[in-house]
Amino acid sequence: MAWNETDAMDQRCKFVLAYSTGRFEMAELCRLYGVSRPTGYKWVERHRTEGMAGLKERSRAARHCPHRMPQEVAQWLLAERRAHPQWGPRKLLRRYRNTHLQPGPSRSAVADLLRRQGLSKPRRRRPVRSRGGRRVGLIEVPNEVWTIDFKGQFRMGDARWCYPLTVMDSASRYLLGCDGEPRILGSQVQQRMDRLFKHYGLPRAIHSDNGAPFAGTGLTGLSRLSVSWLKLGIELRRSRPGCPQDNGAHERMHRTLKAETARPPAANLRAQQRRFQHFRREYNEERPHQALQDRTPSQLYACSARSYPARVPKPEYPAHCAVRRVRTDGSIKWQGGLLFVSTALCSELVALEEVDDGLWSVWFMAHLLGRIDLRTKKITYVPV
């Protein structure tokens, strides 16, 4: 016969008591109670050694699991997760291995731990769509390309605006600068960049969007800020208008920056800057990056071999070029008239090089500004 769990204890007691009388054989009792003989002998042995307490229901869970996560490891991982709410199992596990120099638990075990503690939620999977676009590119050498952008502004606790200016090395993902600005000013950005150039050296190129102060609205697309970079021999690279995916790594960093420093924002700019400084140190030195094979940017970045010059060199052009100085109104004298180039280049020297009959190229340093067609007396913009 079979019985419910609620009266299992009573049935086992009756079984061993009946067997102890000596009037029943084990096989006969097992048939009456609907159990196997090994089970019957097990009950009798438990009753002999432990008394009635040995007949209670016992857990079927394994007494020892060699793969179970140690309690101290679980506590360390949970503390790191609470300190870094945006970090997932992969980053937590890499952080544990870097800190303790031990393999640690599996990634699935860490994910299960976070789920049990209510520290993670299942993500809604979105369909993957193919998007066209020209990315910054796969850069392998530090200081080959720096990326720069303003993170979307937000109001702080004192109701004032904060405009985070961020600069990052594309190859190593090293966050070179993260500064909160009260407004967007080209002169302030130039001061910030000069400070970075003096500390880290000069990159070969800087990638930005087409907004102010990185680019201008004139025909050549230059701004005072970008002209100062050209004078240092830095190449200008731009994303296509309306295509933030062209600078995807920088945009992804901005998402993490906003989540960890601006939700909620700090009370004022000074307090907000302290958050940015803490984020920058953690982002560079502690946070493992999946794109870097779980290494940190500080493990890969090195300062540029091109140092910031004590004096900005003047433009030098080949002897066959016609050199003109840009007037204060942004124009140059050419062929008996005035030809507008850019107000961003006022007082600078530009060169004109004949490339075909009646067709001239206009250069500033190594940057091609456009081409002049003598038949139309107009300069055609050449995209950067």
Side-chain angles (χ1 to χ4, degrees):
M1 58 181 289
W3 55 81
N4 298 326
E5 291 294 333
T6 55
D7 59 352
M9 180 68 177
D10 293 338
Q11 295 294 338
R12 292 167 187 166
C13 291
K14 293 178 181 179
F15 182 94
V16 296
L17 290 175
Y19 182 77
S20 63
T21 61
R23 293 184 295 174
F24 298 95
E25 296 289 336
M26 179 60 73
E28 183 181 2
L29 277 177
C30 289
R31 283 195 300 271
L32 289 174
Y33 284 85
V35 297
S36 65
R37 283 191 294 175
T39 300
Y41 283 117
K42 179 180 67 174
W43 288 349
V44 170
E45 179 63 22
R46 287 184 184 177
H47 179 264
R48 185 184 66 82
T49 57
E50 304 177 32
M52 288 299 179
L55 301 178
K56 293 182 179 179
E57 186 70 22
R58 296 182 178 181
S59 173
R60 292 177 173 82
R63 296 183 180 180
H64 174 66
C65 179
H67 303 296
R68 180 175 297 169
M69 186 185 303
Q71 186 65 24
E72 58 273 14
V73 176
Q75 292 177 354
W76 189 93
L77 291 170
L78 292 175
E80 283 293 303
R81 170 66 177 193
R82 294 186 179 99
H84 307 93
Q86 304 299 319
W87 288 16
R90 183 188 182 105
K91 284 183 172 54
L92 291 173
L93 185 56
R94 174 53 59 182
R95 175 70 173 152
Y96 176 85
R97 292 171 178 172
N98 291 342
T99 303
H100 296 84
L101 303 179
Q102 297 177 358
S106 65
R107 182 176 173 182
S108 59
V110 178
D112 185 60
L113 173 66
L114 298 181
R115 282 194 296 268
R116 292 199 310 269
Q117 297 295 324
L119 296 177
S120 68
K121 297 180 180 179
R123 291 184 177 180
R124 181 171 61 89
R125 294 187 176 273
R126 299 181 178 180
V128 179
R129 298 182 176 89
S130 176
R131 296 179 177 178
R134 184 177 64 259
R135 300 170 57 188
V136 172
L138 298 176
I139 310 299
E140 298 181 354
V141 181
N143 304 301
E144 183 76 6
V145 177
W146 288 5
T147 55
I148 185 171
D149 199 4
F150 272 100
K151 178 71 186 78
Q153 71 275 12
F154 58 89
R155 288 191 185 274
M156 298 172 290
D158 58 2
R160 296 184 178 182
W161 288 102
C162 176
Y163 298 83
L165 173 67
T166 56
V167 185
M168 186 173 70
D169 176 65
S170 183
S172 64
R173 307 296 177 90
Y174 191 86
L175 189 55
L176 300 158
C178 182
D179 297 286
E181 304 291 350
R183 62 187 65 85
I184 297 179
L185 288 177
S187 58
Q188 184 65 30
V189 175
Q190 185 169 348
Q191 291 179 12
R192 299 288 189 187
M193 293 302 294
D194 286 345
R195 184 185 63 185
L196 294 180
F197 293 153
K198 293 175 182 178
H199 185 78
Y200 296 106
L202 301 178
R204 192 176 73 85
I206 294 179
H207 186 108
S208 70
D209 59 20
N210 293 273
F214 313 119
T217 57
L219 181 64
T220 59
L222 292 179
S223 65
R224 282 287 189 181
L225 179 63
S226 59
V227 167
S228 70
W229 296 343
L230 289 175
K231 293 170 70 173
L232 293 171
I234 300 173
E235 177 187 340
L236 302 181
R237 297 187 184 180
R238 305 259 174 80
S239 299
R240 293 169 301 160
C243 295
Q245 66 269 22
D246 290 350
N247 197 5
H250 204 109
E251 295 293 336
R252 178 61 183 86
M253 180 272 294
H254 273 178
R255 190 172 76 179
T256 304
L257 174 68
K258 182 178 180 180
E260 297 194 9
T261 64
R263 292 181 176 175
N268 50 50
L269 187 58
R270 178 175 294 182
Q272 190 66 51
Q273 185 59 42
R274 286 197 295 267
R275 289 190 186 182
F276 289 154
Q277 291 172 349
H278 175 77
F279 172 82
R280 179 174 169 270
R281 182 192 61 79
E282 184 179 272
Y283 190 87
N284 288 336
E285 301 175 10
E286 297 181 10
R287 184 180 187 272
H289 290 245
Q290 185 173 351
L292 306 177
Q293 290 74 50
D294 290 327
R295 292 172 292 182
T296 60
S298 61
Q299 292 177 292
L300 301 179
Y301 183 74
C303 292
S304 173
R306 296 180 57 204
S307 59
Y308 186 78
R311 296 185 60 183
V312 178
K314 294 183 179 180
E316 295 183 359
Y317 300 108
H320 66 276
C321 293
V323 180
R324 296 291 186 273
R325 187 174 296 276
V326 180
R327 297 156 57 97
T328 55
D329 61 356
S331 63
I332 59 173
K333 289 185 177 180
W334 182 247
Q335 299 287 324
L338 295 177
L339 183 66
F340 181 80
V341 180
S342 173
T343 54
L345 289 167
C346 65
S347 302
E348 301 290 349
L349 295 176
V350 298
L352 295 92
E353 179 184 25
E354 188 173 15
V355 293
D356 202 352
D357 188 23
L359 187 64
W360 293 71
S361 292
V362 185
W363 296 87
F364 176 67
M365 307 287 288
H367 183 76
L368 179 61
L369 300 175
R371 289 192 171 91
I372 302 173
D373 190 339
L374 295 182
R375 292 170 296 183
T376 59
K377 300 289 185 178
K378 292 182 179 181
I379 180 172
T380 303
Y381 172 58
V382 176
V384 179

